[in-house]
Amino acid sequence: MTETSARDRVLRAVREMPSDTTYEEVMERVYMIQKIERGRQQIADGQGIPHAEAKRQMKRWRE
């Protein structure tokens, strides 16, 4: 798989958005993409937590 640049990923995401998209919506999408990529990298680096632990933490948030 060919790795694409951050610029290319952002441009692709913007092109896929409706033509009436606001600047705020574009910025939210770019931020979301960055957060997902950071999370994936953390998992690849072994910094993630097991699914069961994530569920336990989320349950405590709702209490």
Side-chain angles (χ1 to χ4, degrees):
M1 179 170 89
T2 304
E3 189 170 326
T4 58
S5 68
R7 176 186 166 272
D8 290 339
R9 290 187 298 275
V10 168
L11 289 173
R12 184 178 63 238
V14 170
R15 281 190 205 105
E16 292 174 354
M17 297 177 85
S19 61
D20 62 345
T21 300
T22 66
Y23 286 116
E24 185 175 86
E25 291 167 329
V26 170
M27 295 304 295
E28 288 172 357
R29 178 71 57 93
V30 170
Y31 185 64
M32 181 187 70
I33 291 168
Q34 187 269 335
K35 289 298 220 175
I36 291 169
E37 289 184 4
R38 179 187 289 170
R40 287 180 174 169
Q41 186 60 53
Q42 288 173 332
I43 290 170
D45 293 342
Q47 299 173 358
I49 62 172
H51 182 73
E53 175 60 23
K55 286 177 74 172
R56 278 192 292 278
Q57 288 181 15
M58 291 177 69
K59 184 176 180 181
R60 283 187 295 214
W61 297 343
R62 293 186 302 229
E63 295 175 351

